Amino acid sequence: MNTADFEIKTNIQISKPIAEVFEAIVDPQKMSNYFIANGSARLEEGKQVMWSFPEFEGEFPVNVKKIDANELIALTWDVEGTPFLVEMILTPRGDNATKLTVTEKSTAAERPSIQWLKNNTEGWANFSACLKAYLEYGINLRKGAFDFMNDDK
């Protein structure tokens, strides 16, 4: 990695089999229980889907670059014309646990890339923790968590 480039990375172990974790990420109905408000379609290689979030206005295009079932989900989204690659790697940890590594890569350490990755460091850690809570305990940690973002200032 060039010293002018950087990336963010989060890791978490989820006490569920790898196939269950994979499905919770690629299925928009499952994902709406812990991350997005709505997804236009299942994540499939070569497709573009639209995600909406309860705390933000509008829809966000997500381009699915690569899917290896139960191993890898690679997608891009962009900010102000700069595409960011997100890779989710699933690694089995025995029969009933999965390590999830989420990496978001940047092309250069300059604005708006720095601000985007700064915010997404928190975002992908939140995604991972919410996925764990949903799969292991059936709860949605995001519900109401960002209501303050819609308050008048």
Side-chain angles (χ1 to χ4, degrees):
M1 179 178 357
N2 182 317
T3 56
D5 297 340
F6 65 101
E7 65 185 28
I8 58 172
K9 184 179 286 191
T10 66
N11 293 285
I12 199 165
Q13 182 165 309
I14 300 169
S15 298
K16 290 293 179 179
I18 202 164
E20 193 172 335
V21 176
F22 178 81
E23 278 302 309
I25 297 170
V26 299
D27 181 338
Q29 283 197 280
K30 291 180 180 173
M31 193 181 270
S32 70
N33 289 303
Y34 69 91
F35 185 54
I36 59 175
N38 189 40
S40 63
R42 182 179 176 84
L43 297 181
E44 294 179 0
E45 191 168 319
K47 303 280 181 169
Q48 182 180 78
V49 300
M50 301 300 286
W51 284 349
S52 63
F53 296 87
E55 63 271 19
F56 301 111
E57 288 187 31
E59 292 185 316
F60 300 87
V62 175
N63 296 298
V64 184
K65 297 299 185 183
K66 185 161 182 64
I67 298 275
D68 289 331
N70 302 330
E71 294 178 17
L72 170 74
I73 300 155
L75 53 89
T76 61
W77 52 6
D78 71 65
V79 58
E80 297 180 19
T82 301
F84 288 85
L85 175 65
V86 177
E87 293 177 338
M88 299 180 196
I89 298 172
L90 293 91
T91 307
R93 303 280 297 159
D95 292 337
N96 293 311
T98 304
K99 177 185 172 193
L100 173 64
T101 301
V102 180
T103 305
E104 186 163 354
K105 302 177 183 221
S106 174
T107 55
E110 56 188 42
R111 289 187 179 222
S113 301
I114 292 171
Q115 187 62 42
W116 177 264
L117 289 178
K118 178 179 170 271
N119 291 343
N120 280 5
T121 299
E122 182 179 298
W124 288 118
N126 180 271
F127 166 88
S128 300
C130 290
L131 173 60
K132 180 178 178 68
Y134 166 66
L135 287 177
E136 292 182 12
Y137 303 101
I139 58 174
N140 184 343
L141 292 179
R142 283 180 74 94
K143 188 174 185 174
F146 298 101
D147 287 355
F148 68 91
M149 295 176 75
N150 296 321
D151 291 344
D152 293 330
K153 296 181 181 181

